[in-house]
Amino acid sequence: MDRPMVGAIDGHTQWVALLGYPVKHSFSPAMHNAAFERLGLNWRYGAHAVRPEELEKAVAGLAALGYRGANVTVPHKEQVVSLLDLVDPSAKRLGAVNTIVISADGKTTGHNTDGTGFLRGLAQDGFSVAGASVLLLGSGGAARAVAFALLDGGARSLTVVNRTPDKAEALLDSLRQSRSAEGVTLRAGGWDEAFLRDCAKAADLVVNATSSGMVKGDGVIPYPLPPERWLSPGPFVCDLVYNPPETALLLTARSLGCRCQNGLPMLLHQGAAAFALWTGREAPVATMAEALAKATGN
């Protein structure tokens, strides 16, 4: 019997999904379907817009339909944790899941590949966080994943800045419970211009893990303080935003001679780690990167 043509959907097709709300903007389907095609796997990746009140039904439905797994994105990463049969230690520590693996008997296991994706993305451009002094903007889910990854990667100091300083301090309280925090200088603060300027001058790495600078609807989410008022020459600047691919933060950083990276490398490498969890195969990263570049027009 002839093998089904790669790209054809039939009764043997294995499915994975993206669960989020909304999902129309996602580049993950293009990235993963290109990877399946490259390896000749009869797998498909679809994106499903799931309202928060429907998430429990959606997760149960994937298992019932024989899906092999899923990615989970905003606003479901925290909510989904309590809906899974198992959660691996790293995801449990973060209190957030971005990847679900579904076994043959329908058991669901949650993982979080965001931190791995972040570190691999930096390494792609030759930056190691070992021994680095880091300024992290934000204290939400993305910032939390980045913060723990920074500690695991050996950062020597971390300053977390948030609109609400109490939330930044709460993130540091979580970090202090990790063995990786031993010997690391941890500070929290708000969007104060003088404080930010001092932190940026001392930083080897600046990471924006907020939505500031992101295109939303007909406009761009503003920064609490424009980057040109506090950013300094010198640090590697990473903005997890990738729409637009060149934010005001990155434009300012480049004008100062800083090395820069947007959020696409993190998206690529967290996706590659998820791919490996689902399929047991090493992800074809170059193929996924090419698909991302095509989908984003970069």
Side-chain angles (χ1 to χ4, degrees), residues 55 72 75-83 94-97 140-142 144:
L55 182 61
V72 184
H76 303 320
K77 291 185 180 184
E78 291 81 19
Q79 181 186 351
V80 79
V81 172
S82 64
L83 305 178
L94 292 173
V97 161
R144 187 176 176 88

Side-chain angles (χ1 to χ4, degrees), residues 12 24 27 36 46-47 62 89 103 132 162 197 221 223 233 235 245 251 260:
H12 300 284
K24 289 181 179 179
F27 301 123
F36 296 145
L62 294 182
S103 64
N162 195 65
R197 190 181 299 116
I221 298 174
Y223 296 88
L251 286 170
C260 298

Side-chain angles (χ1 to χ4, degrees), residues 128-213:
S128 170
V129 304
S133 176
V134 185
L135 171 60
L136 174 61
L137 309 179
S139 61
R144 187 176 176 88
V146 165
F148 275 101
L150 288 167
L151 293 190
D152 292 343
R156 65 179 171 85
S157 70
L158 173 62
T159 300
V160 179
V161 171
N162 195 65
R163 288 175 185 266
T164 307
D166 287 349
K167 291 184 178 179
E169 190 59 54
L171 173 55
L172 294 190
D173 287 341
S174 297
L175 296 176
R176 291 185 182 105
Q177 298 174 30
S178 170
R179 291 182 180 178
S180 302
E182 294 179 8
V184 180
T185 302
L186 299 173
R187 293 192 301 170
W191 282 79
D192 174 81
E193 186 170 341
F195 177 70
L196 273 171
R197 190 181 299 116
D198 288 344
C199 292
K201 284 181 180 178
D204 301 302
L205 173 66
V206 175
V207 182
N208 176 38
T210 75
S211 57
S212 296

Side-chain angles (χ1 to χ4, degrees), residues 27 125 208 211-215 219-221 223 227-228 231 236-265 296-298:
F27 301 123
D125 283 339
N208 176 38
S211 57
S212 296
M214 180 186 297
V215 173
V220 174
I221 298 174
Y223 296 88
E228 60 269 20
L231 189 62
F236 188 104
V237 179
C238 177
D239 196 332
L240 302 191
V241 171
Y242 53 80
N243 184 20
E246 194 86 334
T247 62
L249 174 62
L250 295 183
L251 286 170
T252 300
R254 290 191 197 283
S255 73
L256 294 171
C258 301
R259 295 167 59 208
C260 298
Q261 181 181 97
N262 66 14
L264 286 175
T296 60
N298 293 321

